Amino acid sequence: MTGEKIRFHPSVVLENLMRFAIFAVIFLLVSVEERPIEAFLAIGGLLGVAAIILFLRWRRTTVQFNENELIVERNTIFKMKRSIPYSKIASINVNRTIISRMFGTSRLQVNVNSSSNATVPEAVLVFKKDLADRIRNHLSRNMYDSEPVIEAEQGSVVNVDNTDVLVHGLFSQSTMQTISGFIFLAWSIFEMYSDAGGSTGGSSALSLGMFFFVTVVPSVMLIVHYANFKVYRVKDTIYLQHGLISTYRTSFNVSRINAIHVKSTMASRLMGRSYIEADVIGLGSSKDSQRPVLCLLKRNDVIEAVLKDLVPEFVYDRNIIVQPKGAKKAIAAKASLGSAFVAVMAAALTWVVGTTDRTGLSGIERTVVENMFIAAGAAIVLAIILWGYRSYRVKELSLGEDLFTFVNGVVDRRRTTMCYDKVQIVNVSKGPLARRFGLAVGSISLLSSKGSVSVSSGYFTEADLNKVHETVMQRLVNGKYDHRANEI
Amino acid sequence: MAREFDVNEEGVTSEGYKALHPKVKTAMRVGTLIFLAISLALLSLTIIFGDALGGLFWPLLLLFVLITVIALVDLTIVPIVFYARYRYNVGEDRIDVLRGVLTIRHTVVPIERIHQVEVKRGPINNMFGLANVTITTAGGVSSIEYLELSEAESIADRLNEKIVSILKERE
């Protein structure tokens, strides 16, 4: 394999042509009624040209695996030669789509530690499955400087069965998303039983469609995406695989993890469950731009055990700092301002609807619409008060020797544990309200698989928040920071 | 004003942070004036062609009035507060920037984390001999704004030298 120039599997032409064909079909559906013959001819011609271009592109693209680097070279009008040193590769993902399965191929996505293209792989290589596996092993050997593991022999760190996948699909979506889905469902039922206008069938179906689009479809996609979930660690490498229709496999060194998030939605908290996500450098993939999930929704005690087994580097004895009493006043002041604004807006809208008769509604529908803003305003004010109360109790800060943690989220909770050595920029902000009570809010910039991300804290004393950047600087000065382990 | 922004006769705070040159205020005002002139021109067009806009006339008028009021605040108050509350310090191993009109933000960037340093000059800054130093890290971008050109270039050179020396030490 070394030094030899290899072409991708020809199915890559069909796979790329399929993507183009989807747009072509949409165009055809839009224009077919007016000029059917011209539309068919135009689409046929465009698909033909696209097929020729894609074929030439495939024929003139090669990949070469040298001793220290892989080189992807394209010799078309737009020439390209990309050299990726093995030492810079952060992860290799393997994706198998339906077309890949039909042709017995695999897509290898090679990612380097780049901040500019964090969500896009540096190279996508398509080969027959056995050749792709050999190449992946060859790359892994060069990346991790050890023999590749036999994946089938490895057991998962956590046992995730079909019920767990189902629970994760149903209850890991954000609470706001779930609520908005059920608002659409409620509105659809309301429209169905209302008799005004005579055109309720259409709008009821639209609301029902929105419910499916916002709640049902994402749940099904999550279930399909995370079916057959398996995660394990061999030495310092974490291996992750899942997927029912399209299978997804990736591996990355634990030193590439910048932060660990233990997350729970309101529904999952009621069940005593949470899940683990990781911010990993160089895990970009055009299709899977979300953070990798290291464990699906499981009982909280299981999650803590998984953290200890899988990423002990991100486990420490947390010395929890709760928000000071001044934060209660700052949050209350903020909530009062928000509530006053909502109350004024609700009163103004109710007055406008009550004094002008533009709705054209009568009976129960008119009563509902007239009182809708008052009811919604009252609900929002109540939500703001509850948010303020919970916000004070929920947010926490912990400062360890190597790690620190922010706990956030009134409705959907998130415990983010970060490594001082991965912190890129620290911001400590004092707004007019926070200043009055001697408090500040911290914001930490890190690199993740989604590009640069920022994690914010609650209200804490400036001295406590300043300890984050003081520790970052101390570790650089006293030699605790190891640049080889944190190279980006 | 908070004590952390108090400067001595040399324009330096007790913690070594530097203040910007006062011409920053004029540069900011010129920028706002250009923006205001464009807004007023659009406002005039809205009034002149009001009939053709139909139902959009009042919302557009309201929008442009709002923009004009904000621009007037930007012209009078913001440059004074911005100048009074902007301090920076390029130290041996970190960059500190203290800034903010309503919210005061303290930004810390360890020099070790810097990937790229850039000196940027727009047409207005160019007119006043000012420039921004943009610092890129793996986790985002930070900047020191409205520096005198010589100071901006000197900071960029110092940072580049430091980054090179850090990389050489590691070889």
Side-chain angles (χ1 to χ4, degrees), chain A residues 330-454:
Chain A
I331 293 167
K334 215 172 170 181
S336 307
L337 284 172
S339 302
F341 177 76
V342 170
V344 169
M345 289 301 288
L349 287 167
T350 308
W351 181 77
V352 168
V353 171
T355 52
T356 56
D357 193 19
R358 287 188 185 175
T359 55
L361 299 171
S362 59
I364 191 170
E365 278 203 326
R366 185 178 168 83
T367 313
V368 167
V369 169
E370 274 181 357
N371 293 293
M372 191 171 67
F373 295 112
I374 291 288
I380 294 172
V381 168
L382 190 68
I384 291 173
I385 293 167
L386 280 174
W387 167 85
Y389 176 73
R390 293 298 299 160
S391 176
Y392 174 68
R393 298 175 73 92
V394 163
K395 296 189 177 181
E396 293 170 358
L397 166 72
S398 304
L399 301 164
E401 200 180 321
D402 304 315
L403 303 162
F404 64 103
T405 305
F406 288 172
V407 178
N408 279 309
V410 172
V411 183
D412 294 338
R413 194 82 32 92
R414 186 171 65 175
R415 188 178 90 206
T416 305
T417 301
M418 295 162 274
C419 195
Y420 290 111
D421 293 344
K422 308 282 188 180
V423 171
Q424 301 293 319
I425 299 174
V426 181
N427 279 306
V428 178
S429 305
K430 295 177 283 180
L433 276 175
R435 262 203 313 277
R436 203 176 152 73
F437 301 107
L439 300 170
V441 171
S443 159
I444 310 296
S445 298
L446 303 162
L447 178 62
S448 79
S449 44
K450 299 165 81 177
S452 56
V453 289
S454 179

Side-chain angles (χ1 to χ4, degrees), chain A residues 53 56-57 60 74-80:
Chain A
I53 293 171
L56 290 174
R57 195 182 146 108
R60 295 183 177 189
R74 193 166 60 225
N75 191 18
T76 55
I77 299 170
F78 300 97
K79 293 188 185 342
M80 183 270 283

